[in-house]
Amino acid sequence: MIANIARRLGQALLVLLGVALAIFIMLRIIPGNAILTMMGEHADPVVIERMTAELGLNEPIPTQFLRYLHDAVTGDFGTSYSMHRSVRELMGAAFGNTLKLALAAAVFAWLLGIVSGIIAAVKKNGLLDRLFMGVSLFGVSMPVFMAAMLLQYVFAYQLHWVPISRVTDWRGFILPAIALGWNSAGSIARLTRSTLLEVLQEDYIDTARAKGRRQFGVLTRHALRNAMLPVLTMMAVQLSSMLSGAVICETIFSINGIGRLAVQAISGRDIPLLQGTILFSTALVILGNFVADSLYSVLDPRIRRGSEP
């Protein structure tokens, strides 16, 4: 187990290094000048040249990259060109809103998806099964931005039940959480239904029924325990994806989060801020996959035994 964890950590570090290198190179070979974008088109060329030298942007790319890696390892991601503040400070202030949004979306997706999947499996080929699977397919197919704007128009603009944008209290997270979690809820519902139906056909389920156990007991004590393993793995991966991929929701609902910071960095060609947000998001995705793999190994003894020499 320890060797397996060490191997995964090594792979995660290699992925982070590769992402850092790719982003670093791409941001420096695309046309345009970050200093000119920051200072405006009428800036003095002498000042632009001096600022470029002060920021080290005139040095060879390998030198810049090694210096950036050294600073990033110590937690220094540089200073934002457009906001003139530490990138680490900006991400620290924004992460709280991203975390709240992702957790709210995850709770919504998990509750709706698991309950819908269980009901659809129990009522296989019935009206409720077709209804829930139809709704889940609709959720999986609808883009996040479309769901967000539709929710905004109906519940905020027309009904005035919740704020249309900006988070001032807990009500401001309702629509963004639903928009962000709707797609995940559909995926969880479909996976829960398929895995539960597969488990219900196993021999030990027939044995439990032959012993006189009620349907509810068979479902909760035997079927769900095994059917939820792949679902839990998907849930862990989805949470990390929500933490790193809330760009659209944060932009549409004007939420000060990591995703919105990345959008502002792109529009302002803010290289340090964009590098920091991308690396942070990548680390969250890697962490989510690591937790999902570890969770699956802990919950399923067969995987642990298979990995042992």
Side-chain angles (χ1 to χ4, degrees):
M1 181 66 72
I2 295 177
N4 194 25
I5 292 175
R7 178 176 57 83
R8 290 174 182 171
L9 286 176
Q11 292 173 348
L13 291 176
L14 287 177
V15 171
L16 271 178
L17 180 63
V19 170
L21 179 60
I23 294 301
F24 195 90
I25 293 176
M26 285 190 292
L27 288 177
R28 280 157 178 78
I29 63 175
I30 58 177
N33 189 310
I35 305 300
L36 182 61
T37 303
M38 177 178 63
M39 302 187 66
E41 57 182 7
H42 301 295
D44 188 343
V46 177
V47 177
I48 293 177
E49 185 177 352
R50 178 171 57 82
M51 289 291 295
T52 301
E54 288 180 0
L55 294 173
L57 298 178
N58 58 343
E59 297 178 354
I61 288 183
T63 304
Q64 295 183 45
F65 180 66
L66 290 176
R67 186 175 64 248
Y68 176 75
L69 276 185
H70 175 270
D71 293 341
V73 169
T74 60
D76 181 10
F77 296 97
T79 302
S80 169
Y81 293 165
S82 57
M83 302 183 188
H84 308 290
R85 292 174 59 190
S86 167
V87 172
R88 183 175 63 180
E89 179 185 341
L90 289 170
M91 291 195 300
F95 181 64
N97 287 330
T98 299
L99 180 61
K100 292 175 184 176
L101 173 59
L103 289 177
V107 170
F108 168 78
W110 297 345
L111 289 177
L112 180 62
I114 292 174
V115 172
S116 300
I118 292 174
I119 295 175
V122 173
K123 303 295 182 181
K124 179 185 176 183
N125 297 327
L127 178 61
L128 288 177
D129 181 19
R130 292 188 175 91
L131 175 63
F132 283 128
M133 287 302 99
V135 172
S136 69
L137 180 61
F138 182 69
V140 171
S141 305
M142 177 177 286
V144 174
F145 74 90
M146 185 179 295
M149 291 189 291
L150 182 63
L151 290 170
Q152 262 186 337
Y153 178 77
V154 175
F155 295 102
Y157 182 74
Q158 291 290 341
L159 300 177
H160 304 286
W161 287 357
V162 289
I164 194 169
S165 64
R166 298 193 181 278
V167 175
T168 55
D169 54 25
W170 63 271
R171 297 188 309 143
F173 284 104
I174 295 177
L175 293 186
I178 295 175
L180 183 60
W182 186 257
N183 184 279
S184 297
S187 300
I188 290 177
R190 301 179 73 82
L191 180 61
T192 302
R193 178 186 182 274
S194 62
T195 54
L196 186 56
L197 286 175
E198 183 178 348
V199 169
L200 287 174
Q201 297 175 2
E202 296 290 338
D203 293 338
Y204 65 87
I205 298 295
D206 295 333
T207 303
R209 287 171 177 162
K211 289 181 178 180
R213 294 190 181 275
R214 296 182 178 179
Q215 177 68 13
F216 182 79
V218 172
L219 185 67
T220 55
R221 296 188 60 183
H222 299 280
L224 279 178
R225 175 182 267 172
N226 293 301
M228 289 303 294
L229 288 175
V231 178
L232 289 174
T233 305
M234 175 180 280
M235 288 163 62
V237 174
Q238 283 183 345
L239 179 57
S240 66
S241 299
M242 290 176 185
L243 282 168
S244 61
V247 178
I248 297 175
C249 280
E250 289 178 356
T251 303
I252 292 177
F253 292 97
S254 300
I255 298 175
N256 246 357
I258 298 293
R260 196 176 181 205
L261 272 183
V263 172
Q264 292 172 347
I266 293 172
S267 60
R269 197 181 170 86
D270 195 332
I271 293 177
L273 184 57
L274 184 57
Q275 287 177 164
T277 53
I278 291 177
L279 273 182
F280 186 74
S281 300
T282 304
L284 289 176
V285 173
I286 292 174
L287 179 62
N289 282 275
F290 177 76
V291 171
D293 290 342
S294 302
L295 185 64
Y296 207 90
S297 299
V298 170
L299 294 176
D300 193 343
R302 294 171 298 179
I303 295 179
R304 289 202 303 271
R305 288 196 294 267
S307 62
E308 293 175 355

